[in-house]
Amino acid sequence: MPTMNLTGWIERDGVRLSPADVERMLKDGPEALAPCGGEFLLTYGDCIARDALGIVPGPVPPGTVCSGGREIARVAPDPAPCTLEEAIVTAVGLRSDEGAVAFSGGVDSALVAHLARLPCVAVGLQGSHDLERAEKAARMMGLDLAIVTPTEDEVAEALARVVRVIPDPTNPLEASIATTLSFVAAWAEENGHTRILAGQGADELFGGYARYLTSPDLAAELERDFADLARQRTRDQVVAALHGAYFSMPYLDVRVVRAAQAIPAAERVRGGVRKHPLREVAKRHIPAEIATAEKKAMQYGSGIWRAMQRLARDNGYKKSVQGYLTEISRAEHDY
């Protein structure tokens, strides 16, 4: 019988499968993985399979079952329909047996943190908006919160690491997000966690960006932004991999995606309220003050973006963070 190696976890119809369950299923052939959800890379003899979103890195494309070097099936979980609230509760529950939560105090991460009841970590320079908000929210919700407060020198060191691996290293927005996430992943590594639950995808699914309030075609813009999440996942996971971790994304669970996309765009951004459906669910689980509050994007609220601007100026790039990143990238890639 071939040897099975499984990184991550597999579920079917909302039930986590043990390694023994998976091995029994594979006796019917590796195609049996096709309806399975989870976040995994599995090898079984000459078979390699990877989860639908490609959360766990591997040598085959996301959502493929390959045998003998050729694709023999697609991983496409098809769970039973459910409400948005049921979808979120299930998605977080499936991911909550171990790990930590990337926490900013905003509705996305607060709802995940409440449901998961795992250790939380917040990142921000001393006195930053996100730290103040995260600490207040954690007190209100009774969460176990660790605080990471990098110095500007540590931001510079982290930048040098992330520009080596992210797909677009000279893009200031990409680099600032990746740098912020790198501190989360570093904390996870230091504290023995490989899985980091995060709120990625909520803005694109539910309409969280300020520009959605004035969008001339909200439905089309949401669709475009959702399609871009695959690129963002690649960025986030290569940063996490530097620290032997990965970002787990409950809002991108197929149940949540289906339930969210079934809601008309005009209901997702409603009456000037962004992420209206998510906030309505959140108010049934977390304090309304947290569920309804707006927040800055992580790179701004954490102070990382401002630190990057200061580093650029200090290195002779008074008006161009991109120029500073180009210099770092050239040095890191030796060209």
Side-chain angles (χ1 to χ4, degrees):
M1 182 176 175
T3 300
M4 184 188 79
N5 290 296
L6 173 62
T7 301
W9 56 277
I10 296 177
E11 60 97 1
R12 185 165 183 177
D13 298 326
V15 178
R16 284 281 292 265
L17 303 180
S18 70
D21 293 332
V22 177
E23 283 195 290
R24 282 192 292 271
M25 185 175 64
L26 288 171
K27 290 179 181 178
D28 295 328
E31 296 90 344
L33 292 167
C36 292
E39 299 167 333
F40 62 87
L41 178 70
L42 181 144
T43 61
Y44 182 71
D46 67 352
C47 170
I48 304 175
R50 194 173 171 207
D51 68 84
L53 288 177
I55 296 296
V56 178
V60 297
T64 56
V65 181
C66 294
S67 182
R70 66 181 183 88
E71 182 179 315
I72 61 170
R74 296 291 303 172
V75 178
D78 187 23
C82 58
T83 67
L84 177 61
E85 184 165 9
E86 290 168 341
I88 293 171
V89 170
T90 299
V92 176
L94 285 166
R95 293 159 171 80
S96 299
D97 58 310
E98 62 93 10
V101 178
F103 188 73
S104 67
V107 61
D108 308 342
S109 62
L111 180 56
V112 170
H114 167 77
L115 295 172
R117 308 312 297 184
L118 291 170
C120 299
V121 55
V123 172
L125 273 66
Q126 199 70 46
S128 65
H129 176 271
D130 274 10
L131 284 194
E132 293 176 0
R133 186 188 189 111
E135 289 181 307
K136 179 180 178 181
R139 285 195 301 271
M140 292 175 69
M141 296 170 61
L143 300 174
D144 175 11
L145 178 66
I147 298 292
V148 176
T149 53
T151 64
E152 285 196 12
D153 285 345
E154 289 170 330
V155 172
E157 292 168 4
L159 265 175
R161 289 191 296 270
V162 302
V163 299
R164 296 176 194 152
V165 297
I166 62 175
D168 192 0
T170 62
N171 182 308
L173 178 62
E174 297 292 301
S176 60
I177 294 171
T179 300
T180 308
L181 293 175
S182 74
F183 288 108
V184 175
W187 179 90
E189 180 182 32
E190 291 167 6
N191 289 273
H193 302 296
T194 57
R195 184 187 305 156
I196 307 164
L197 276 68
Q200 275 91 323
D203 286 320
E204 293 80 2
L205 271 178
F206 298 105
Y209 298 125
R211 56 185 162 84
Y212 292 144
L213 293 170
T214 55
S215 175
D217 190 343
L218 179 59
E221 193 164 358
L222 286 168
E223 186 175 342
R224 284 194 302 271
D225 289 348
F226 183 79
D228 187 56
L229 285 170
R231 180 191 60 79
Q232 295 180 43
R233 286 197 299 274
T234 299
R235 174 200 64 209
D236 299 347
Q237 300 300 12
V238 296
V239 170
L242 292 173
H243 301 281
Y246 70 92
F247 286 101
S248 180
M249 303 176 184
Y251 290 118
L252 296 181
D253 186 285
V254 65
R255 299 166 186 82
V256 181
V257 172
R258 285 181 177 177
Q261 292 184 336
I263 301 169
E267 293 297 311
R268 295 186 236 174
V269 181
R270 175 180 169 187
V273 177
R274 293 173 275 160
K275 296 189 283 197
H276 182 268
L278 180 62
R279 296 184 195 281
E280 290 302 299
V281 170
K283 283 191 286 189
R284 295 192 283 273
H285 295 270
I286 64 177
E289 178 181 339
I290 300 170
T292 58
E294 304 286 358
K295 72 174 290 296
K296 298 178 181 179
M298 73 172 84
Q299 66 273 24
Y300 305 126
S302 65
I304 296 293
W305 171 248
R306 189 170 295 175
M308 286 173 54
Q309 289 179 310
R310 286 194 291 264
L311 286 165
R313 287 196 299 269
D314 292 347
N315 283 273
Y317 295 90
K318 293 183 179 180
K319 297 182 179 180
S320 176
V321 173
Q322 186 171 13
Y324 173 55
L325 293 173
T326 300
E327 177 186 310
I328 297 172
S329 183
R330 284 173 176 163
E332 292 301 322
H333 290 93
D334 294 322
Y335 64 82

